[in-house]
Amino acid sequence: MIVFRTDANETIGMGHYMRCFAIAHELVKRGQEVLFLIAPDADAMAVQEQGFPLWQLRQQGRELGWDAAEAAGWLSAQPVDVLFIDTYRINQPSMKTLAEVVPDSWYMDDLCAFDYPVSNIVNYNLDAAVEMYQSLLSHPSKLCIGASYYPVRQEILDARVRSLRPVVQRVLIATGATDPFHMAQALLEELAPRFADVTFAVQLGKYYDDAYLAKLQTLAETHTNSCLLDWTKRMGERYAACDVCITPGSSMMSESMTVGVPCISFAFADNHLGQCIFMDRADMASYAGDVRTGAIAVCKNVSAALASLLPLDERNFQRVRFAQLFDGKGAARVAEALTKTYVRSRFSESRP
């Protein structure tokens, strides 16, 4: 059994779930048993919709929102072979507690936040390097580092477009499951009046509250070149229907570009920054700035970046640059690494 310790909710968003879902589906293809171990405030329905079994913890920890001792107790009572952790709501003591119960523990990292007491680390960020961990870790860990480990879902791969449309007609604004700074509203207010010949499709987040949804509805009625799209699990098709995507530097950015649609990125969390800056410097996607230091400036920068992407040649250039790094096989690579570790461990235990 391979257990995923991960979460998603109205505060965290869906990014951790999405990359774990991609890996879990690859494991199931290989005949592996998987299960999701989630926090008391995590979205259980989203896991069930993917067809995966789950166990929801009950104790709300003061610091993390879940209790590591409860999780460790549950793990110790199950036939768990591998533990895959993907959450920011974790610290060194809680990670150590889990790793002591399941020695073959993995952590999906992109922050290099502390000395991770696990035996395996995955970091698919473009700017990730083995050297980052040599000074961070006090013990040897297997490292799966780099863009080749980016875990993209199969429905994203199936939606890949062969060529871009010559004229930008439709732009997707997608902030993810949450939008704490109301950037969908700010971007629509900035862009719709300037680009009258472009339709702006706003992807509504799974956890947008009713008041914010009402504001966006009013705005969409005001600007005839805009529309609102309900939350969907089939994001690949949604990316493919657009010519440019405006999104944070999260998994949605890489998903859109994997489909073949150029992106303009912005940041509103620390884990967005590395990807945004790297892709901007590599001429793969324009970075409009950090919303936390000025949303108005970010909207102006997005507008300028969109104007620069109107020519087909510029969009094709970014598309090719990105395709040189991502081949879409990251989820399969992580699944293979997890399975190899499990098989090797079981074989070693069976020897006299």
Side-chain angles (χ1 to χ4, degrees):
M1 182 190 291
I2 299 175
V3 171
F4 289 86
R5 172 66 198 94
T6 187
D7 298 318
N9 60 32
E10 64 276 4
T11 302
I12 302 168
M14 290 286 290
H16 299 288
Y17 268 11
M18 290 304 178
R19 54 196 190 185
C20 286
F21 289 163
I23 298 167
H25 280 299
E26 287 292 336
L27 288 167
V28 171
K29 289 180 184 178
R30 289 163 168 74
Q32 298 296 317
E33 180 183 2
V34 302
L35 184 144
F36 279 70
L37 177 62
I38 62 176
D41 61 353
D43 188 337
M45 183 66 69
V47 179
Q48 293 168 342
E49 289 174 347
Q50 293 290 321
F52 298 123
L54 66 88
W55 180 265
Q56 191 153 24
L57 299 168
R58 295 177 173 82
Q59 298 180 29
Q60 291 273 3
R62 293 183 179 179
E63 181 180 0
L64 302 175
W66 59 283
D67 185 83
E70 181 192 6
W74 184 88
L75 288 167
S76 64
Q78 312 302 318
V80 180
D81 299 287
V82 181
L83 175 64
F84 193 93
I85 305 167
D86 185 354
T87 178
Y88 296 136
R89 299 196 299 178
I90 197 162
N91 53 26
Q92 190 177 53
S94 59
M95 188 178 289
K96 183 178 180 181
T97 297
L98 301 185
E100 286 176 347
V101 176
V102 186
D104 192 359
S105 292
W106 295 65
Y107 184 55
M108 177 73 85
D109 180 43
D110 56 9
L111 293 176
C112 292
F114 54 85
D115 183 2
Y116 303 121
V118 292
S119 54
N120 309 271
I121 295 172
V122 179
N123 186 331
Y124 62 79
N125 280 357
L126 291 169
D127 59 344
V130 172
E131 292 74 20
M132 299 164 61
Y133 293 95
Q134 290 177 338
S135 59
L136 180 70
L137 303 178
S138 62
H139 60 92
S141 291
K142 178 181 178 180
L143 303 176
C144 297
I145 304 295
S148 63
Y149 291 98
Y150 165 57
V152 63
R153 306 190 308 282
Q154 187 61 46
E155 63 102 359
I156 299 295
L157 298 176
D158 292 342
R160 281 175 164 170
V161 296
R162 294 185 177 181
S163 60
L164 299 178
R165 289 174 282 270
V167 178
V168 174
Q169 298 178 334
R170 188 177 177 91
V171 172
L172 178 65
I173 299 175
T175 67
T178 64
D179 189 4
F181 294 91
H182 287 190
M183 283 302 295
Q185 177 184 350
L187 287 166
L188 192 56
E189 290 173 339
E190 172 69 29
L191 300 174
R194 179 177 177 185
F195 299 90
D197 295 331
V198 175
T199 297
F200 292 92
V202 177
Q203 163 81 46
L204 299 177
K206 181 180 176 69
Y207 304 118
Y208 284 13
D209 60 45
D210 290 341
Y212 187 38
L213 289 173
K215 289 181 181 179
L216 290 172
Q217 182 62 48
T218 300
L219 194 58
E221 292 170 356
T222 302
H223 298 290
T224 57
N225 62 330
S226 66
C227 62
L228 304 182
L229 306 176
D230 291 333
W231 178 263
T232 179
K233 293 181 290 184
R234 302 293 302 176
M235 280 303 299
E237 297 171 358
R238 191 149 288 176
Y239 296 130
C242 295
D243 303 296
V244 176
C245 182
I246 303 170
T247 185
S250 61
S251 58
M252 297 187 75
M253 179 184 182
S254 298
E255 286 180 354
S256 171
M257 297 171 72
T258 298
V259 170
V261 177
C263 252
I264 301 168
S265 75
F266 59 91
F268 63 75
D270 288 346
N271 62 297
H272 297 158
L273 293 172
Q275 295 292 83
C276 289
I277 294 172
F278 186 99
M279 290 193 186
D280 184 74
R281 291 176 177 173
D283 295 324
M284 288 189 287
S286 298
Y287 172 46
D290 192 331
V291 176
R292 296 171 295 183
T293 60
I296 295 177
V298 169
C299 290
K300 297 292 184 184
N301 291 338
V302 169
S303 181
L306 179 56
S308 71
L309 282 176
L310 295 181
L312 178 60
D313 287 347
E314 182 61 26
R315 284 180 283 132
N316 273 328
F317 175 75
Q318 292 192 4
R319 171 187 169 100
V320 171
R321 293 283 290 175
F322 181 82
Q324 291 172 345
L325 282 180
F326 282 85
D327 62 5
K329 299 178 181 179
R333 289 191 182 94
V334 176
E336 182 179 5
L338 287 165
T339 305
K340 280 185 175 180
T341 303
Y342 160 72
V343 171
R344 183 166 56 249
S345 174
R346 302 291 277 188
F347 177 74
S348 298
E349 291 172 3
S350 68
R351 296 184 67 178

